[in-house]
């Protein structure tokens, strides 16, 4: 309904805001693909309007569904751009928060990369085929 009303009144900022809100709602309800779609729509409208503040906020929101779907490079890309825009706008608290999101994502990626290697070593030791096993080769 919001989108129809915004289009009917030819309100580009209203359309962008509606898309951004729908993106946040979709993310909160677990529909991450739809969230990305809505945020992408909002992002293109805010960029066309030259609205740097809302572009930064939308990029900030866009990183979350990408991260939830395991699209870590896309999340990092969105958050990296949001971080630059927030810094350029002098929004230090927002920039610090986004930097923490990037750092948390990097830590999660490092932990998940270590888990398969550790389980692989345990598996090979249990089967007697890995380093330190006493099984004949």
């Amino acid at each position: 309904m919001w989108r129809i009303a915004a289009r009917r009144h030819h309100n580009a900022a209203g359309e962008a805001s509606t898309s951004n809100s729908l993106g946040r709602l979709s993310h909160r309800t677990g529909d991450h693909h739809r969230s990305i779609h809505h945020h992408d729509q909002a992002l293109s409208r805010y960029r066309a309007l030259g609205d740097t503040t809302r572009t930064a906020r939308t990029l900030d929101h866009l990183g979350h569904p990408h991260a939830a779907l395991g699209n870590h490079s896309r999340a990092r890309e969105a958050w990296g751009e949001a971080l630059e825009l927030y810094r350029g706008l002098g929004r230090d608290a927002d920039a610090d928060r986004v930097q923490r999101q990037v750092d948390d994502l990097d830590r999660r990626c490092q932990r998940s990369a270590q888990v398969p290697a550790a389980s692989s070593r345990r598996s090979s030791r249990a089967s007697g085929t890995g380093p330190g096993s006493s099984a004949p080769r």
Side-chain angles (χ1 to χ4, degrees):
M1 293 292 281
W2 296 342
R3 185 179 297 155
I4 292 168
R7 282 183 181 155
R8 187 171 293 152
H9 296 286
H10 305 288
N11 182 342
E15 289 178 36
S17 179
T18 299
S19 293
N20 200 24
S21 294
L22 290 171
R24 292 175 64 208
L25 179 63
S26 296
H27 172 64
R28 288 182 184 149
T29 60
D31 192 346
H32 304 300
H33 292 287
R34 181 167 289 178
S35 175
I36 291 167
H37 171 76
H38 288 302
H39 284 309
D40 282 342
Q41 286 182 332
L43 191 57
S44 66
R45 286 184 176 99
Y46 285 137
R47 283 183 169 151
L49 291 167
D51 190 332
T52 306
T53 301
R54 289 190 175 104
T55 296
R57 188 178 311 138
T58 302
L59 286 161
D60 185 356
H61 296 313
L62 179 60
H64 294 284
H66 277 302
L69 290 170
N71 301 333
H72 298 146
S73 63
R74 298 291 302 272
R76 196 174 289 107
E77 179 182 316
W79 285 336
E81 190 175 346
L83 182 61
E84 287 179 32
L85 292 174
Y86 280 144
R87 285 183 178 150
L89 292 165
R91 296 182 65 152
D92 296 334
D94 288 322
D96 291 345
R97 179 180 44 75
V98 171
Q99 184 62 60
R100 285 191 301 274
Q101 290 168 186
V102 171
D103 293 344
D104 289 345
L105 179 66
D106 288 344
R107 279 192 289 278
R108 284 194 308 261
C109 288
Q110 286 175 342
R111 281 195 301 269
S112 67
Q114 292 170 352
V115 170
S119 65
S120 173
R121 286 192 300 273
R122 282 193 299 272
S123 173
S124 64
R125 277 193 295 254
S127 66
T129 59
S133 69
S134 58
R137 294 190 183 134

